Amino acid sequence: MSYPSLLFSDKASGTRIEEHVFEDVKLTAFFSEESIGAMRVLCRPEDIPVRQDLLRYLDGNGEVRGILKDLEAVSADLVRLHAAMQAVKCENERHYVFVGLMAAVADFAGLAASLPEQGGPLLLRFGSRFRGDFADPVWSDMAAEAQKLRKEADRIRRETFRMAGDNLWMRPDFRESYVERLQRCAAELGLPPERRQRDVSIRLDARMVNALARLHPEAFLAFRDFYARNSGSFDEGILSYRFELGFYLEALALMDRIRNAGLPLCWPAPAKEKRIRVRELYDISLLLKSGVRIVPNDAEFTSAEPFFFLTGANGGGKTTYLRSLANAALLFLSGCPVCAASAEIWPVGNVFTHFPQDERFEADGRYADEQRRVGEILAAHGGNSLILLNETYATTNEELAVSSTLALAEKLKDSGSFVLYITHQHGLEAAGVPFLSVIVDEDDQNRRTYRIERRREAEGSYASDILRRYGLDAESLLSRFPGNGGERA
Amino acid sequence: MKFSLLYKHYEETREFSDDPLRGAMAETVYDLSVDKAVRELCASGETGAYTLEVLKSPLKTAEEVEYRQAVLMDFVSSPKLLEELQDIFKNYDTLQSDWREMQAGIYTYGVPQTSGGILDATYEALRITAAFAKKTVSYFRSVYETVGRYEVASEGLRGIREYCREMMENRSLDEIGEISSIFGRDTVTGYRFKVRTETDDTLRIVSASLQEALPTEDNGLGERMKRLAARLTKTAPPADDTPEVDMGEFHLETARGILNESLYELYTVLGSIAGSIYEFFRGLSGELGFYDTGVRYVRRLAQSGAPMCLPKLLPREADVFRASGLYDLHLLLEGMPVGDIIRNDVTIEDCDGTLIRGANSTGKTCTIRSIGTAVLFAQAGLPVCAERAEISLRETVFCQFSSAEKDFDAADAAGRFEGEVKEVAAILEQLRPWSLVLFNETFQTTSYAEGAEGMQHILDALGRAGARYVFVTHMPIFERMDSPRVLKLEFGRDYRIRRL
């Protein structure tokens, strides 16, 4: 019986998001490569609420979440042991490793079968599959034997080598090592624990494994016999749980982290008509910086207004806004909650980003590289995507940049895809695309507010005296040092 | 873990930490010309730099100050002890750097590529580390014997002597020395080994620990016969009755790999432990450099016939600065005869701050510098330039001396004023209660009326923040500041201070 997916009710949508999109919007800081791999494969829209239900259930159920963590740890062992099986160099080694592999399968199945019969269709199907295994007495006996033999295998993992000149002997001889003696002395002297040692990984060659078998003949005969009876029982399909479980656990860890930072999270509703409406959206990547004030913004893209240029001062929060929007879409499409107060998002067919990438262009130059990447997006977006362009064409001369941008806007504005295009270019009004702009506070030394609004005319200059600028005027000082702080003598 | 002669309660984080106040203290040392004084007194640039670092970290309790004062007085009484300890710890200082240099030397000709070369290099690293550990351990005896030859009264020096005695009698330290002594042979071929390994569940060795290293007997006939027999039979006699599988000599590469890992593990652990033991006395050479500066300072004042005193440190809440016969060290070091240096009695108490005014060249700057230097030196455990002094501990000392040379464009008064404003803003940014802020002619780069008004708000704020200030100025601020908590002093043409 094959292993059912924890990510898809039936099968995936068949669309994959480009890997660099996750790098551009910094989601790679929160998800591992394996989980990003899972997020890149888009599910069908009907599976989004199914995943949301599962995540919601896990979020509120610490015990089940704990089981999933244990399952993930065992699945990592399965992947490792399976790789070792592929690389064995002698039969004794094959028999030894197989015992461990099947014992891990038994561990995994035992944990999966212990899941409560709750949590939505994906989890129910998963637990039920493994409960079925245990109902089979042949399988149950195999699992019990594998776990018993593993104890025997663990027992013989420690040996001593005697070395004299070029000669080598293997023997069971366990005495306190010099390092253990030193560590004892150090502890008695109250010294701090020594620095971490490097990882050792030396593969025993076939002769050595066979020597080990000679030292422990009964154990290795039992391993051989077990392998002979059960070698056809292992199904590689179980290995895919490694990244499926990883995705859910990392999503839950991210939710914890966001909540611990006191920030809102919401479960977005799939929009019934083509639009993206997010209230108090913020950029998750700001969590990576300490002491940053997070300023939320709203986003609204509709069929009537699917495309915006975003302009404004450097450091005003344009890229942050773009990332927030991309993250909201990507998290929603993966079935995760998004970083906002509320959200309604159309399940777009794909997400594309176009960021400055100095390292990517080759002999043809930067502009040619940008055009090539734009061409790829135009060919792939299919009129149902979210396209995020960050200072595209900023590296060429202004005339060419403006004409290229206008041409691109012409192709995208009625295409059916949602587009946000950050640019410093002037003269784009002819595109007929509305503008968003970052707001500066003219009454406060043009301080960046990190607020994004529809553009208004906003020019101003700094005008305050020097003392006031540095917070040394009477009012500022009184506010900072009100007195009666208890320290005054 | 570290023994310190500078700090009674040593904290790793305290010594020359990344405290943002250290930047402000660097300004203070510059403005008060303490850096010049230290350069004048110190034996070497290195000692001077260290002494300045100590001065930039004022002690925060009277207990710490007294600890340091007592050690200094021991060294003033027994300068030979200071010399001998400096010699010992100068060598000690090079131990670790020599060890590191020798380790780096192993790879002078590149990283070895063969298993034999790698094994030889790892053994060499272990041998060098074992020698470092042995030498480090031996210092406890040297220090104990040296300090034991002198009469010392301070807690610091008596403590180091007692500490060394305890360490010399410590069985664990002995055992570390014994293990280190095993690895003195030139090459790895001089030993027979037993290595304990542990594999993971895929039969990969994940740890290798050396259980035994027995030096082979190079010259004994019996050993030679054993080796001959081993060569003939391709085996060697078992060490004991433990059952074992003879694996012959077909595993050279793997065996070397296993042995290499076990030696490497021992090398890293021994290196780490030796490094930790070395920490006990690390930095003492620098600390002794500070005391060397202190002894030279005391000697210089004594030779000049200038008065000095170990000040009595009072808690910060006592909130006083009392000094009789206070004078400017800078004048003395510039060569002015002691008799020509004006000494003033300065008492600052029961107030938030002090305003000082007076005609040009009447001693205002010398006085504010003397006050600041006295506080810094007192909180460094050094004597101060006065006949008698009682000083409350200060959290830190900030300075804004507009008369100090700065990188302002003299023609750009607006720029210079803004520069001063920035400096004052930076002080307020870091201000802590019980700080002392010294202003010398601040804001005189703008109109006096505007400057005085600006300063008044700032001084009021300092008072509200629980900080204390001394402000030397020509600006018309005396009339503006009519609080009874503001002390007003004026210099006359006779260089004497009068209270207004």
Side-chain angles (χ1 to χ4, degrees):
Chain A
M1 194 163 66
S2 64
Y3 293 106
S5 169
L6 276 167
L7 291 176
F8 308 105
S9 299
D10 183 8
K11 52 188 173 183
S13 71
T15 305
R16 288 170 80 89
I17 300 173
E18 289 290 332
E19 195 172 357
H20 72 83
V21 171
F22 293 86
E23 288 166 18
D24 287 344
V25 302
K26 297 192 176 173
L27 269 183
T28 45
F30 300 96
F31 289 96
S32 65
E33 199 178 332
E34 289 83 7
S35 296
I36 293 288
M39 293 167 82
R40 286 183 60 199
V41 181
L42 285 178
C43 63
R44 294 179 169 184
E46 55 269 28
D47 268 350
I48 293 174
V50 177
R51 286 193 194 178
Q52 287 180 340
D53 285 346
L54 176 51
L55 272 172
R56 250 195 294 255
Y57 170 72
L58 294 171
D59 189 34
N61 195 320
E63 195 181 337
V64 176
R65 186 169 164 180
I67 296 173
L68 250 59
K69 276 186 187 164
D70 294 343
L71 278 166
E72 193 213 15
V74 178
S75 69
D77 284 341
L78 281 168
V79 169
R80 185 176 51 78
L81 288 160
H82 179 256
M85 275 295 287
Q86 308 305 302
V88 295
K89 287 189 175 166
C90 67
E91 288 306 302
N92 276 323
E93 187 180 4
R94 185 187 313 282
H95 304 154
Y96 182 96
V97 177
F98 184 72
V99 165
L101 179 68
M102 292 313 290
V105 170
D107 293 344
F108 190 89
L111 284 166
S114 74
L115 285 166
E117 295 182 43
Q118 296 168 344
L122 293 172
L123 199 61
L124 275 172
R125 188 175 63 180
F126 175 75
S128 161
R129 159 68 177 79
F130 288 98
R131 279 187 285 278
D133 275 346
F134 280 101
D136 175 357
V138 176
W139 192 93
S140 282
D141 289 349
M142 183 279 297
E145 188 182 0
Q147 286 169 325
K148 186 177 161 204
L149 284 175
R150 180 170 55 189
K151 285 183 187 157
E152 188 62 13
D154 287 346
R155 192 182 60 78
I156 60 177
R157 277 164 51 178
R158 192 181 242 217
E159 301 298 342
T160 293
F161 289 94
R162 185 163 68 83
M163 301 168 179
D166 294 344
N167 289 284
L168 188 66
W169 294 264
M170 187 185 281
R171 52 200 264 131
D173 177 8
F174 312 119
R175 272 176 284 169
E176 194 180 28
S177 69
Y178 289 127
V179 163
E180 285 161 347
R181 286 173 63 190
L182 287 171
Q183 285 170 329
R184 176 173 43 73
C185 293
E188 281 163 11
L189 284 168
L191 299 179
E194 74 282 355
R195 63 175 176 240
R196 197 176 174 276
Q197 295 145 32
R198 68 174 166 183
D199 292 334
V200 177
S201 180
I202 298 173
R203 188 157 180 205
L204 292 184
D205 62 29
R207 282 169 183 268
M208 286 181 157
V209 175
N210 290 335
L212 188 65
R214 280 163 59 201
L215 209 54
H216 306 282
E218 287 178 8
F220 273 84
L221 280 173
F223 301 155
R224 185 183 70 180
D225 183 48
F226 179 79
Y227 179 78
R229 284 182 282 113
N230 299 295
S231 60
S233 307
F234 181 73
D235 178 349
E236 290 182 8
I238 199 169
L239 302 176
S240 61
Y241 287 127
R242 168 91 172 90
F243 67 87
E244 293 193 354
L245 289 161
F247 161 71
Y248 284 110
L249 290 169
E250 287 173 26
L252 290 163
L254 179 59
M255 288 160 65
D256 289 345
R257 190 168 169 183
I258 291 170
R259 277 193 293 249
N260 288 341
L263 296 167
L265 268 176
C266 75
W267 294 98
K272 291 191 174 56
E273 56 191 72
K274 209 166 180 180
R275 74 167 169 220
I276 297 174
R277 177 186 286 166
V278 192
R279 297 282 172 255
E280 297 185 27
L281 174 68
Y282 62 90
D283 179 18
I284 193 178
S285 72
L286 296 178
L287 280 178
L288 299 170
K289 301 175 185 170
S290 57
V292 173
R293 188 170 61 97
I294 294 181
V295 177
N297 275 292
D298 296 342
E300 176 121 21
F301 291 72
T302 62
S303 302
E305 285 189 327
F307 189 158
F308 288 93
F309 285 123
L310 174 54
T311 64
N314 285 327
K318 299 191 297 296
T319 304
T320 299
Y321 182 73
L322 180 145
R323 266 199 311 261
S324 317
L325 185 64
N327 284 334
L330 291 168
L331 289 171
F332 164 71
L333 293 171
S334 305
C336 299
V338 305
C339 306
S342 68
E344 191 187 347
I345 301 176
W346 174 255
V348 290
N350 210 331
V351 178
F352 297 94
T353 55
H354 187 285
F355 274 49
Q357 301 281 357
D358 288 347
E359 302 303 324
R360 261 190 220 167
F361 68 88
E362 292 172 0
D364 294 341
R366 201 171 294 181
Y367 176 73
D369 173 72
E370 290 197 324
Q371 275 291 48
R372 182 184 57 73
R373 289 192 284 133
V374 165
E376 286 170 3
I377 293 171
L378 288 172
H381 75 94
N384 184 32
S385 296
L386 174 63
I387 302 172
L388 302 152
L389 305 160
N390 192 6
E391 304 208 16
T392 304
Y393 303 130
T395 54
T396 188
N397 67 66
E398 190 173 359
E399 193 180 342
L400 180 58
V402 170
S403 65
S404 301
T405 295
L406 290 173
L408 177 57
E410 188 58 33
K411 287 175 188 159
L412 286 176
K413 71 179 183 184
D414 296 320
S415 69
S417 286
F418 299 112
V419 184
L420 181 67
Y421 188 158
I422 292 177
T423 183
H424 285 291
Q425 296 162 25
H426 296 283
L428 298 177
E429 288 74 9
V433 170
F435 283 79
L436 299 174
S437 185
V438 296
I439 304 302
V440 293
D441 187 346
E442 299 148 54
D443 296 329
D444 189 8
Q445 304 163 41
N446 284 355
R447 182 176 58 81
R448 273 49 168 171
T449 66
Y450 307 106
R451 303 286 307 175
I452 308 289
E453 287 181 7
R454 283 216 173 216
R455 188 166 80 177
R456 294 174 298 188
E457 288 305 314
E459 296 297 328
S461 60
Y462 303 115
S464 57
D465 77 356
I466 292 170
L467 285 166
R468 187 172 161 229
R469 187 183 305 165
Y470 290 95
L472 298 185
D473 57 298
E475 293 78 21
S476 304
L477 287 166
L478 197 58
S479 147
R480 281 172 67 194
F481 304 105
N484 303 321
E487 291 284 2
R488 186 167 176 162
Chain B
M1 199 183 222
K2 175 169 157 40
F3 194 92
S4 174
L5 285 172
L6 277 185
Y7 302 98
K8 183 173 181 181
H9 304 289
Y10 180 83
E11 292 164 35
E12 192 70 47
T13 50
R14 170 162 57 185
E15 195 186 354
F16 314 155
S17 64
D18 294 332
D19 187 342
L21 282 179
R22 295 187 55 73
M25 287 303 292
E27 285 288 319
T28 299
V29 160
Y30 173 83
D31 283 344
L32 296 175
S33 299
V34 166
D35 56 336
K36 282 186 193 167
V38 166
R39 274 199 297 274
E40 175 82 19
L41 291 165
C42 280
S44 70
E46 201 180 335
T47 312
Y50 189 93
T51 304
L52 283 175
E53 290 305 313
V54 175
L55 285 162
K56 285 183 215 165
S57 297
L59 296 171
K60 300 291 165 62
T61 66
E63 185 190 20
E64 288 284 354
V65 172
E66 283 157 12
Y67 178 83
R68 209 180 274 182
Q69 286 176 341
V71 174
L72 178 64
M73 287 304 106
D74 268 342
F75 285 138
V76 168
S77 308
S78 307
K80 283 291 284 177
L81 170 60
L82 178 59
E83 272 176 40
E84 286 183 40
L85 286 178
Q86 278 187 293
D87 283 343
I88 288 175
F89 286 108
K90 196 174 166 193
N91 290 331
Y92 191 82
D93 265 5
T94 62
L95 266 190
Q96 196 170 45
S97 53
D98 287 351
W99 171 48
R100 290 197 173 127
E101 202 173 311
M102 287 170 81
Q103 280 180 300
I106 296 171
Y107 301 107
T108 304
Y109 301 107
V111 177
Q113 301 297 315
T114 64
S115 60
I118 292 168
L119 180 61
D120 287 343
T122 305
Y123 175 74
E124 183 61 5
L126 173 61
R127 192 180 68 81
I128 291 167
T129 301
F132 166 61
K134 262 176 72 179
K135 280 186 198 161
T136 304
V137 166
S138 73
Y139 268 80
F140 292 101
R141 180 171 300 279
S142 307
V143 175
Y144 173 74
E145 289 172 354
T146 303
V147 180
R149 286 199 294 273
Y150 295 87
E151 275 294 318
V152 291
S154 65
E155 190 182 348
L157 286 166
R158 290 166 83 106
I160 200 169
R161 189 176 60 196
E162 183 57 21
Y163 181 68
C164 287
R165 189 188 60 73
E166 282 172 16
M167 290 300 272
M168 281 161 54
E169 291 168 0
N170 189 297
R171 176 67 199 110
S172 295
L173 202 68
D174 258 5
E175 193 170 348
I176 292 169
E178 281 165 19
I179 293 173
S180 303
S181 299
I182 295 171
F183 301 96
R185 296 219 160 181
D186 288 343
T187 65
V188 72
T189 54
Y191 299 90
R192 286 174 304 189
F193 297 101
K194 278 185 193 164
V195 181
R196 193 184 68 215
T197 62
E198 196 157 332
T199 58
D200 68 1
D201 51 5
T202 66
L203 290 179
R204 275 186 177 274
I205 292 175
V206 291
S207 79
S209 296
L210 195 61
Q211 278 190 183
E212 189 176 271
L214 288 176
T216 51
E217 295 298 330
D218 290 335
N219 301 317
L221 179 62
E223 189 59 32
R224 283 210 301 266
M225 289 300 289
K226 278 184 200 169
R227 283 210 303 275
L228 178 64
R231 219 173 289 134
L232 289 172
T233 60
K234 298 217 177 286
T235 182
D240 48 44
D241 294 335
T242 308
E244 57 183 24
V245 175
D246 179 1
M247 300 170 68
E249 49 186 22
F250 300 106
H251 307 278
L252 192 58
E253 293 294 309
T254 312
R256 281 177 176 164
I258 293 168
L259 179 57
N260 183 63
E261 290 301 339
S262 70
L263 295 180
Y264 186 85
E265 182 197 51
L266 180 55
Y267 148 67
T268 52
V269 171
L270 184 59
S272 171
I273 288 173
S276 297
I277 295 171
Y278 180 85
E279 283 297 299
F280 290 154
F281 292 145
R282 184 186 58 80
L284 269 185
S285 174
E287 294 190 2
L288 291 167
F290 169 79
Y291 285 112
D292 184 63
T293 307
V295 169
R296 286 166 189 272
Y297 164 59
V298 170
R299 206 177 284 153
R300 179 75 174 266
L301 295 188
Q303 282 166 354
S304 308
M308 68 184 126
C309 68
L310 279 177
K312 183 176 181 188
L313 270 295
L314 301 172
R316 55 190 195 173
E317 292 81 5
D319 202 12
V320 296
F321 179 95
R322 289 190 206 105
S324 309
L326 182 72
Y327 62 95
D328 187 5
L329 171 66
H330 202 58
L331 298 179
L332 186 79
L333 294 178
E334 279 183 343
M336 186 181 279
V338 173
D340 293 350
I341 298 173
I342 301 294
R343 297 179 210 163
N344 268 300
D345 295 342
V346 178
T347 299
I348 300 173
E349 57 191 337
D350 298 327
C351 62
D352 290 342
T354 307
L355 302 178
I356 301 177
R357 73 181 181 192
N360 285 329
S361 303
T362 50
K364 300 188 297 301
T365 298
C366 286
T367 297
I368 195 170
R369 196 160 56 201
S370 305
I371 293 170
T373 305
V375 173
L376 276 194
F377 277 32
Q379 288 189 230
L382 295 172
V384 302
C385 295
E387 290 149 14
R388 232 185 65 198
E390 286 180 314
I391 298 174
S392 274
L393 291 156
R394 292 295 165 214
E395 190 60 28
T396 192
V397 181
F398 293 103
C399 278
Q400 203 296 314
F401 277 29
S402 69
S403 52
E405 290 172 20
K406 295 280 165 62
D407 293 331
F408 297 138
D409 179 354
D412 180 7
R416 184 162 179 170
F417 175 66
E418 183 165 354
E420 289 184 3
V421 172
K422 267 188 197 172
E423 288 183 5
V424 174
I427 290 171
L428 263 62
E429 197 65 41
Q430 301 178 81
L431 194 69
R432 298 174 188 179
W434 304 111
S435 298
L436 175 64
V437 190
L438 305 173
F439 296 102
N440 192 14
E441 303 192 356
T442 303
F443 287 2
Q444 288 179 193
T445 44
T446 188
S447 81
Y448 276 17
E450 279 180 5
E453 186 183 348
M455 277 308 289
Q456 182 191 355
H457 298 313
I458 289 162
L459 299 179
D460 283 346
L462 290 177
R464 291 196 299 274
R468 299 293 177 258
Y469 62 85
V470 178
F471 181 27
V472 167
T473 185
H474 290 286
M475 295 192 303
I477 197 168
F478 273 52
E479 299 70 24
R480 287 174 168 273
M481 307 282 289
D482 55 1
S483 160
R485 291 201 56 81
V486 177
L487 175 67
K488 296 172 183 173
L489 303 176
E490 186 172 48
F491 270 88
R493 286 283 173 200
D494 57 356
Y495 309 109
R496 297 289 175 196
I497 300 179
R498 274 183 295 277
R499 189 172 177 149
L500 296 180

